[in-house]
Structures are given as structure tokens and as C-alpha cells.
Amino acid sequence: MMSIIKLENITKIYGKKDNEVRALSNVSLSIEKGEIVAVVGPSGSGKSTLLNIIGCIDSPTEGSYWLDNSLIKNSKQKDMARIRNERFGFVVQDFALVERYTVKKNVLIPLSYSSKKISKNRADELLERLGLSEKKNVLASDLSGGQRQRVAIARALINDPDIILADEPTGALDKNTGFEVMKILTELNEEGKTIIVVTHNSRVAEMCSRVITIEDGMIRNT
Amino acid sequence: MNQLRYAFEDIVHNKSRSFVFFLQITLSLMLFSFMLTHSFDLQKLIKKITMTNEYKNAYLMFDISDMDKFFNETIYEDDVVERMDNFYLWLTENKHFKSYAFSYEDLILKDNRLDDSLVSFTYDLTGDKCYSGLICNEDFINFFDFRLSKGRLFNTGDYSDTSNIIPVIAGYDYSKYFNLGDVIDSEYRIIGFFEKDSRYYDIKACGDLLSLDKSIVMPFQREKALQHDNLGLYDSIINKTVIITEDERVLDDIQKKSSELGLYTYSFRSVEEQLGYIKESSGEWVLSLFTFCMIILFFCIIGMICNMLQMLNNYIRELGIHILCGASKFSIVIRLFYQVFFLTLLPNIIILFIHGFSSNLLISVLLSVLLSTLVILVPFIRLMKTDMNTILRRSE
Ligand SMILES: Nc1ncnc2c1ncn2[C@@H]1O[C@H](COP(=O)(O)OP(=O)(O)OP(=O)(O)O)[C@@H](O)[C@H]1O
Ligand SMILES: [Mg+2]
């Protein structure tokens, strides 16, 4: 099977010489198209860093990263932004919504950076599907945590990306709502999306088909 | 286009911040254009100050001889004009010091090309119109380093010319009514026009730089003056001679020479002394005003930069969200730039509505572009230097 994501000896070092932090060292892994993978590990082990590199938010200090067999060089900001916009959908712990925007407007943000021709009606469809039709003209600040995370998921899907990167998507939610969010993600996986979930929660990890454990910036072999 | 829309939303969302920014930029633009329109005065002042420097070692000659004797005896002596000529030559061609000399002559001219705006005064009795004339030697022209808008300066031939037609350099205002080569009142042939606002000092008369715009400048034609026994002209040009020397003993020599020729008794006064009291009263305010403007302008610009940085801080989370959704840092910068640019353009649009299109507006627009670039620069560098990971972490 073809790997959609392939990392080879990825090392990420933050900071300058004297106080450098080795967030990742020699990480190699591959993720197949259609997988749903959990990334677990203690705090500060480098999970978010890994996700940021995969999501083209950050570039590795060393190593190679292939996305769909094409090498992502620490290339131009503009190209990285395009890949971020078109290939990935991001869901994060604090939802990353613009509080002063309405729900619908939040969902539409990625379209303003996209070259894909996508109708704005898609936002309505997605919100409908996530049970937020009635809330679409409500300000994001007026929503509950679970609702906010569903808005974030709708936004992650608006550009129809094939990979969803979720960094502790359930971290700020109570058990039940967290479970609902995970259910949505697994459903999306069944529809063919490749999904990577960073989590501290072993229940969440169990819902994934594979678990990658990171410790001290290195993948622990299981 | 999306960035433009976001920028507008940002402006509207941050009404008070935008308003403060608008005030700052408007004030800056006003100060800028104020300074621009008054830079003229500043130039004048600077010229004056540098002039004053050149005048450090300059002396004026005040005739304190017995007037009765001079008017009742001296002027009736046969060879007085020759002696004056002798003295003039000794003064102006002396190797031990520098000098320049000039004198005024009111010209009654009749020429229908002459505009009333050029008249310096009108004789009440006769109704004759008088135009201001200035007679000078070559050192005068060189000392003030005059530039012409057209034509040429005097050459040696012009000074020694004894014909009836006098070559003149006319003030700038004359160039509106005359051309090079024109002869005014069949006597004064224009060989050049001064640049606008050409100025000189007559320290004996006043402490300000005087304009030549409405004057007709003639060469001091020594030989002709001598032929015509022009005692009055000799008298005034000698006594308006300014001596430039570092060696005060020269002044004694001048007195000695004058006594030898049986002419004047002098009291010399340094230009510094003469200017001293005048200096304080005039011009200085322009400099203070400029300094004041510069300080306010400086704080305005700093204020605007702080304003931008603050807004970058307040917005970093939101900008991080946009970056997560596929914005590049560059598009974020564009968004900031649009905001600044729009707020900077706004005062110009207001000017356009009030005053219509003018060259001032153009300058103001150029200044706006300059200012907005300046203001956006610091936040731009700041944004480009923070890596995305940090922006996003701060947004968490
Ligand atoms: N921009 C940065 N500059 C300096 N150090 C950083 C930066 N980003 C991350 N780090 C460091 O890199 C290490 C890995 O951070 P990372 O955020 O990937 O951890 P994590 O596994 O996601 O932790 P958590 O579970 O708390 O989210 C940490 O020691 C962190 O302090
Ligand atoms: Mg993390």
C-alpha cells in the first residue's frame, strides 16, 4: 500500500545553540492512506511538534518528509501554506475559533485562502451534518465546548482535505462530549479520511487502529 | 481581496484603536505638509545662519566725519572723484583683505511692459513710478553666490562698459514680463534673471535677508562713473563696502588710506556686533517650530508603531488561527498593511473632497505611502521573525 505520510529520521531542534531543545530526534514512521492513528506520550515528549511538522506548520531541522511521495522541503512559506490549506484539516484542543465570528464565518475561513472551487453551501451542509444548523449565525463565543469542537471539525472539513490532524481534540471536553467528537472522527475515517489524533486519553487511543508512542522525542517501539 | 475584507473588518472591530491611529496619521501628515510648506523659511534661516558664519570676520564702515565740512568743502575739491576712485580701488582690490560693495538706486522707468506689482514706490508729486535698482561689484555677486534662472552673470566687459545701455540682471518677478535681451525703458538690457527668492544681506540697513525678486541689478561701471564725475555713487558704494578680514589691523590701514586721501573718518563695527541684537528677534522661531514639529512627528510615528505592535499582540491568536487554516505569514502582513494603508489614505480622501485635486494632495499621498511603509516595517519584521509554531503556541 502507498504511504500517504512518510517521515525519515526527522529531527526537530528549537532554540539556539546554548539552550536548544531537541523536540524530536530521528523519528521515522509511515502512515497509510485511510488509517486512523493515535499519538500518545507524556507531556513535552514532542507530539505536537510531530503533528506540526506533518501539517506543514513547522519544518524539521533534519530528515525528510514525503507527503504522497513528494518531498516536502523546508520550502517556501507560500507552498507550505497552500498544502496546509488544501491537504490538511486541523482540530486542536482549544478549538482555535475566532470568537467574534459567527459559526458559519469560522467554518469559511479556509476558503479565503484556497484555490479550490468550493461552494459556500458546503458550510451549511457540514454544519447540518454536525447538528449545528441552528447555530450557524451564532457567535462562536456563545457555544458550548462540544459545539465549538464540532464547528472546528466542520472547518477542518470545508476544503475537503484528505488528512485530519487532531491535537488533543477531546482535551477540553467532558467524557461524553469527547466521546461524541471521537465518534465523528472515526466516522470520517470510515469515509476515507486519514486521521492522526494526539491524545492523553487511553480510551481515545483505543478507538484508533494504531497507536504510536513518543517519549523524549523518540518513537518507542511497540 | 479576502485580505482587504479582513482588513476592513479589523478596522471596524477595533474602532477606538483605528481612530487613534487615524488621528496619529492625520497629525503626522499635517505636520509633514506644514514643514514642507515652511521648509522655505527653514532654508532661508539656514542660509542666514551660514551667512552669519561667513560674516564672522566682517566689518562695516560708518562714516563719522564732520558732515558740514564734507558737504561744504570736500565735494567741491577738483579731484575728489579721482580720490574716491582711488580709495574704492584700494578697498576693493586690496590683497590683504576681502570685500564687497553695492549701492541702491531708485529707477524711474517708463515701459508699458512693467507691471505694477514690480513698483517699489510712487512719487506723490509727479506720480512717477520707482523701481528698485541695485548697483554692485563682482565681489558682491560672488559673495552671495547667486544662481540664475535664465541668462548669464556679468562678465568683466559688463563692468567696464561705458555705453549708454546698461546690462542688467533682473529679479525673478521680472521674468514674467520680460525676456532675455529685452531692453527696459531703452536703457537696461536684460542679460539674465535671478532664481526665485535670491537673497542678500544689507546688514547696515536690517538684519533680514533681502529678496532680489523685484530688483534690477546693475554692474558698478567704475570707468563710466569716473567719466561722469558721479560723486554720489562713489560716496554711497564706498560707504556700503563690507570688509572681510581676520586681521583687525587692516581697519587702521583703511582709516590711514582714507585720511591720506582726505576723505572720510571711520568708525568700524563688526557685523556680529551689528547683527547681535537683530539675530535674537528674527527667524529663530522657525527653527524652534521645526524642532517642535519633528518631536511631535517622532512621537506620532513611534505611537503608530506601538499601536500596530499592540494590535499584533492582541491579534496574534486570531492570526494564528488563520495561519492554521492556510494563511501564509505574507498574507497576514498584507492584511496589516491594508489596514494601515486605508487609515493613512483616509485623510487624503478627505483632503480630496475638501480641496479637490492638487499637487499638495499628490505630495500628501506620497508621504502617506512612505509613512505607512515605515509604520508597518517594525510589525512586519516582528512577525517574520517569530516562527509559526510560537504564534500557534501563544494562541493555545
Ligand atoms: N517554539 C518552541 N521553542 C522552544 N521550545 C519548544 C518550542 N515548541 C516546543 N518546544 C519544546 O519542545 C518539546 C516538545 O514540545 P511539544 O509541544 O511537541 O510537546 P507535546 O508532546 O505536544 O506536549 P503536551 O502533551 O504538553 O502538548 C517541549 O520540551 C517544548 O518545550
Ligand atoms: Mg502538545
Side-chain angles (χ1 to χ4, degrees), chain B residues 13-108:
Chain B
H13 184 250
N14 295 290
K15 284 184 201 71
S16 53
R17 190 185 57 80
S18 305
F19 184 66
V20 170
F21 192 92
F22 172 77
L23 287 185
Q24 284 168 325
I25 195 82
T26 309
L27 188 61
S28 307
L29 282 177
M30 272 162 53
L31 284 173
F32 247 133
S33 39
F34 174 81
M35 283 164 68
L36 213 67
T37 43
H38 285 79
S39 66
F40 203 50
D41 292 331
L42 187 70
Q43 273 169 24
K44 221 165 86 183
L45 184 68
I46 287 168
K47 187 167 178 193
K48 195 164 154 180
I49 288 167
T50 44
M51 274 292 174
T52 320
N53 270 337
E54 284 188 46
Y55 271 129
K56 259 220 163 65
N57 302 303
Y59 296 87
L60 307 171
M61 315 202 297
F62 289 86
D63 176 21
I64 51 166
S65 19
D66 181 351
M67 283 296 150
D68 284 346
K69 181 172 178 282
F70 186 76
F71 284 109
N72 296 326
E73 297 171 27
T74 317
I75 62 170
Y76 295 110
E77 290 158 15
D78 287 347
D79 58 345
V80 66
V81 176
E82 278 83 18
R83 278 183 283 140
M84 282 184 166
D85 180 62
N86 189 322
F87 187 44
Y88 170 81
L89 279 181
W90 185 87
L91 275 178
T92 54
E93 288 175 11
N94 203 302
K95 284 195 186 64
H96 301 292
F97 58 88
K98 288 196 280 188
S99 68
Y100 68 83
F102 66 104
S103 169
Y104 297 115
E105 188 162 299
D106 295 325
L107 306 171
I108 298 172

Side-chain angles (χ1 to χ4, degrees), chain A residues 42-49 52 93 167-168 198 200, chain B residues 393 396:
Chain A
S43 182
S45 55
K47 303 181 297 293
S48 297
T49 307
N52 285 348
Q93 180 171 7
D167 195 343
E168 302 194 30
V198 169
H200 279 297
Chain B
R393 261 153 55 102
E396 270 164 19

Side-chain angles (χ1 to χ4, degrees), chain A residues 14 49 52 56-58 77-78 81-82 84-85 90 92 94-101 105-106 108-113 120 155 159 167, chain B residues 2-3 5-6 9-10 13-14 315 317-318 320-332 335 384 387-390 392-393 395-396:
Chain A
Y14 287 116
T49 307
N52 285 348
C56 290
I57 288 168
D58 228 333
Q77 296 256 355
K78 209 179 104 196
R82 213 200 62 242
R84 219 157 48 228
N85 178 258
F90 294 88
V92 298
D94 74 344
F95 325 121
L97 299 182
V98 180
E99 306 271 304
R100 64 187 171 99
Y101 287 1
K105 192 159 177 191
N106 264 293
L108 288 173
I109 294 174
L111 289 191
S112 57
Y113 300 100
K120 287 190 176 175
R155 185 183 60 194
N159 238 339
D167 195 343
Chain B
N2 280 311
Q3 295 312 312
R5 204 189 67 221
Y6 284 133
E9 285 172 6
D10 292 345
H13 184 250
N14 295 290
Y315 257 46
R317 181 190 149 82
E318 193 176 316
I321 293 169
H322 278 263
I323 285 175
L324 200 65
C325 291
S328 61
K329 274 193 206 166
F330 183 72
S331 47
I332 299 291
R335 172 169 164 182
M384 283 308 186
D387 56 6
M388 299 245 252
N389 167 286
T390 315
L392 288 171
R393 261 153 55 102
S395 78
E396 270 164 19

Side-chain angles (χ1 to χ4, degrees), chain B residues 89-137:
Chain B
L89 279 181
W90 185 87
L91 275 178
T92 54
E93 288 175 11
N94 203 302
K95 284 195 186 64
H96 301 292
F97 58 88
K98 288 196 280 188
S99 68
Y100 68 83
F102 66 104
S103 169
Y104 297 115
E105 188 162 299
D106 295 325
L107 306 171
I108 298 172
L109 301 175
K110 297 211 167 53
D111 190 311
N112 49 24
R113 289 169 295 182
L114 285 163
D115 189 80
D116 274 353
S117 66
L118 301 169
V119 174
S120 96
F121 66 92
T122 310
Y123 279 111
D124 285 343
L125 281 176
T126 55
D128 285 337
K129 285 173 181 155
C130 244
Y131 299 82
S132 83
L134 188 146
I135 300 171
C136 66
N137 67 4

